[in-house]
Amino acid sequence: MEFWKLFVVALMPTVKVLLMTVLGTFLALDRFDILRKESSRKKLNTIVFFVFSPALVCGRLAETITPQSLLTLWFLPLNVLLTFTIGAALGLLLVKIIRVPHHLHGLILGCCAAGNLGNLPLIILPAVCKQKSKPFGDADICQKNALGYISLSMAIGSICFWTIVYKLVSISSGQISNEVKVDDSMITPNSTLEINQENISKDTSHTNHVKQLEIECTTTSIERVKVPEKEKIMEHIKVLVEKINLKALFKPETIGAIIGLIIGIVPIFRKLLIVNNAPLAVIEDTIVMVGDAAIPIMTLLVGANLVKGLKGPGKQFPVIVGIIVARFIALPLIGIGIVKGAIHFGLIHPDPLYQFVLLLQFALPPAVSMSTITQLFGVSEGECSVIMLATYSCAAFSLTLWSTFFMWLVL
């Protein structure tokens, strides 16, 4: 297809996202007073979090994922993990260059690492599939496959977010469990030895005492070295398990993904719920219907939450520019190299839609869940609102351009 036609195809879904986001912003203004109150947005967000989003992931995965398709999609979870890892590395580089305050480190790393793998692709890809030009073939098949890819991405992204980003923000906020504080009265054996040596060096009667201390310190260090390797390994595992927040890891969205995968992969469940004339097909239809409500509501909430950015602190220009460069320039360019390299070595099956989804994962704005996690820890809420407002405003243009270029690459 011609580049201009691809640009029009990519522009339409972005305009839809922008219009729905603007509508959410208007609903949050004082004049309308529908989503203005924080309590209203929290209640709606709670419904999305516990009901709509898990239903969406569960229903779409159950419909599209089979044992055969799961084998062909093995690179997609790896691709999501790469976006988080590379984004976090770019965020760390940004932190080093700008030298921002410590309490903003987690926010910057999280915004660079976690992309919006949820509502934006859920609007963009079905809209692209329904275009008259049909760039990816039959609209119904394209939409069905696209929603399956997105649902799997959402599930993997949710796990990565609540493990990687959650830990980064918790560390920067200073809320680390089992934090060890060193008291002034705590003195190491070596420091004790040095103090004793200064105080008693003039007194020859204390020579034996100094030698005794040296022997005790040497014996202690040798005993520490001789700790069995098995005990060290078990100690490290114990610390790791304590640090992993299992409650944060198994969010409703992740549980919905697990249930959807089980239904799609296990033949007996698939026959009962998914196939034509399935006896319990009404349950699957209900789950899909409930899940479809997540797309518009999540987008409206994005617009409503952006209102905070208009009232937030305004002295974050270097941070905003850095995040925009990392997420909308550096990360997509790196993603092109990764996906093209995987195609060259035969790691990705030759499906243009699948390749487009992999590329799109590298060009998305920061995850809206960053607002949730800053509220959770009570740190950098104003800065997060400003960053979200700036990045999502920029995404209206960058997503269109990158989507056009990605379609030109894969078609």
Side-chain angles (χ1 to χ4, degrees):
M1 295 178 66
E2 296 179 4
F3 192 84
W4 176 250
K5 291 182 179 179
L6 290 174
F7 180 80
V8 174
V9 171
L11 178 63
M12 290 303 104
T14 308
V15 171
K16 290 182 181 180
V17 174
L18 184 61
L19 290 175
M20 294 178 69
T21 305
V22 171
L23 176 60
T25 303
F26 274 108
L27 294 177
L29 295 177
D30 295 339
R31 180 177 297 181
F32 297 96
D33 196 20
I34 297 176
L35 294 177
R36 180 179 65 86
K37 294 181 180 179
E38 185 74 21
S39 58
S40 301
R41 294 198 297 271
K42 283 185 177 180
K43 288 178 180 178
L44 194 56
N45 194 31
T46 301
I47 297 174
V48 172
F49 185 72
F50 286 101
V51 181
F52 294 148
S53 184
L56 175 68
V57 175
C58 178
R60 296 306 179 183
L61 281 178
E63 285 184 344
T64 57
I65 298 299
T66 62
Q68 294 76 20
S69 65
L70 197 60
L71 292 175
T72 60
L73 298 180
W74 69 269
F75 190 81
L76 192 146
L78 177 61
N79 196 68
V80 173
L81 182 59
L82 287 174
T83 62
F84 273 80
T85 305
I86 298 171
L90 292 173
L92 182 61
L93 181 63
L94 178 61
V95 167
K96 297 293 183 182
I97 293 174
I98 299 179
R99 297 180 180 178
V100 295
H102 186 269
H103 71 280
L104 291 177
H105 287 187
L107 174 64
I108 295 174
L109 291 173
C111 288
C112 291
N116 188 334
L117 297 170
N119 56 312
L120 284 183
L122 284 171
I123 297 173
I124 292 173
L125 287 169
V128 169
C129 292
K130 293 178 181 179
Q131 292 295 313
K132 293 181 180 180
S133 57
K134 296 181 180 179
F136 297 108
D138 183 75
D140 293 333
I141 297 175
C142 173
Q143 182 173 348
K144 180 180 178 181
N145 292 334
L147 290 174
Y149 299 154
I150 299 166
S151 299
L152 185 58
S153 301
M154 288 175 63
I156 303 301
S158 177
I159 295 173
C160 292
F161 184 87
W162 291 104
T163 51
I164 299 174
V165 178
Y166 180 91
K167 199 63 184 177
L168 290 174
V169 178
S170 69
I171 292 173
S172 66
S173 66
Q175 297 186 22
I176 310 172
S177 60
N178 300 325
E179 183 180 8
V180 179
K181 296 183 179 180
V182 180
D183 187 62
D184 293 337
S185 62
M186 294 174 64
I187 304 175
T188 61
N190 290 332
S191 62
T192 305
L193 179 60
E194 292 173 0
I195 293 172
N196 286 333
Q197 285 179 337
E198 289 178 0
N199 292 334
I200 65 176
S201 58
K202 295 181 182 180
D203 192 349
T204 55
S205 62
H206 294 321
T207 304
N208 294 333
H209 181 63
V210 173
K211 290 182 179 181
Q212 182 65 29
L213 284 175
E214 290 177 349
I215 293 170
E216 289 178 358
C217 292
T218 305
T219 305
T220 304
S221 61
I222 293 173
E223 289 177 354
R224 288 177 180 174
V225 172
K226 291 183 178 180
V227 175
E229 289 295 327
K230 289 184 179 180
E231 292 185 10
K232 288 183 179 180
I233 294 172
M234 292 302 296
E235 187 175 339
H236 286 305
I237 294 174
K238 184 179 179 181
V239 172
L240 181 62
V241 170
E242 289 176 353
K243 288 185 176 181
I244 293 176
N245 191 337
L246 294 179
K247 186 178 180 180
L249 177 59
F250 288 100
K251 291 295 179 182
E253 191 175 283
T254 308
I255 296 173
I258 294 172
I259 296 173
L261 286 172
I262 293 173
I263 294 173
I265 293 174
V266 179
I268 187 171
F269 293 144
R270 192 169 187 85
K271 290 179 181 179
L272 287 173
L273 296 166
I274 306 299
V275 299
N276 294 332
N277 301 320
L280 301 179
V282 65
I283 297 177
E284 171 64 15
D285 293 340
T286 304
I287 294 173
V288 172
M289 187 181 298
V290 173
D292 287 341
I295 301 173
I297 293 178
M298 288 170 68
T299 311
L300 290 175
L301 283 172
V302 171
N305 289 329
L306 292 181
V307 175
K308 290 183 181 179
L310 299 173
K311 304 175 183 179
K315 298 181 180 179
Q316 306 298 331
F317 185 74
V319 173
I320 293 171
V321 172
I323 292 174
I324 288 174
V325 171
R327 283 223 64 94
F328 298 144
I329 298 177
L331 199 56
L333 291 174
I334 296 172
I336 292 173
I338 292 173
V339 175
K340 281 295 182 182
I343 295 172
H344 177 74
F345 289 105
L347 302 177
I348 299 175
H349 63 93
D351 178 9
L353 177 62
Y354 181 54
Q355 296 172 12
F356 179 73
V357 172
L358 295 178
L359 290 167
L360 188 64
Q361 290 174 350
F362 286 94
L364 296 168
V368 292
S369 298
M370 284 304 305
S371 300
T372 303
I373 209 167
T374 53
Q375 292 175 2
L376 178 64
F377 288 103
V379 61
S380 310
E381 293 182 53
E383 292 86 348
C384 182
S385 300
V386 175
I387 290 171
M388 288 295 171
L389 177 61
T391 52
Y392 275 79
S393 300
C394 183
F397 304 98
S398 66
L399 266 179
T400 302
L401 296 175
W402 280 118
S403 297
T404 306
F405 185 67
F406 291 157
M407 282 190 284
W408 179 78
L409 281 178
V410 301
L411 294 175

